[in-house]
Amino acid sequence: MAGMRFARPVRVFDSLPSHRELTMADVAFVLATVAIFALVAFIAKGVAKL
């Protein structure tokens, strides 16, 4: 263990996406979820009329 040394400190935050990208991903996920539920409700309403 004593012989293992890193050339430079590892920065975790360099590889993470920015806050804005995460927010846009969250918005896209919520919109997609709402759209899927709306589609399922629309199909259920159509099936109920049969």
Side-chain angles (χ1 to χ4, degrees):
M1 280 292 200
M4 295 177 59
R5 294 190 180 184
F6 294 104
R8 65 182 180 90
V10 177
R11 294 185 179 181
V12 177
F13 296 106
D14 287 346
S15 62
L16 293 176
S18 68
H19 179 68
R20 182 182 176 110
E21 290 175 359
L22 289 175
T23 304
M24 293 302 291
D26 289 341
V27 170
F29 176 75
V30 170
L31 288 177
T33 304
V34 170
I36 289 171
F37 274 104
L39 182 63
V40 169
F42 181 72
I43 291 172
K45 189 181 287 189
V47 170
K49 287 184 179 180
L50 292 178

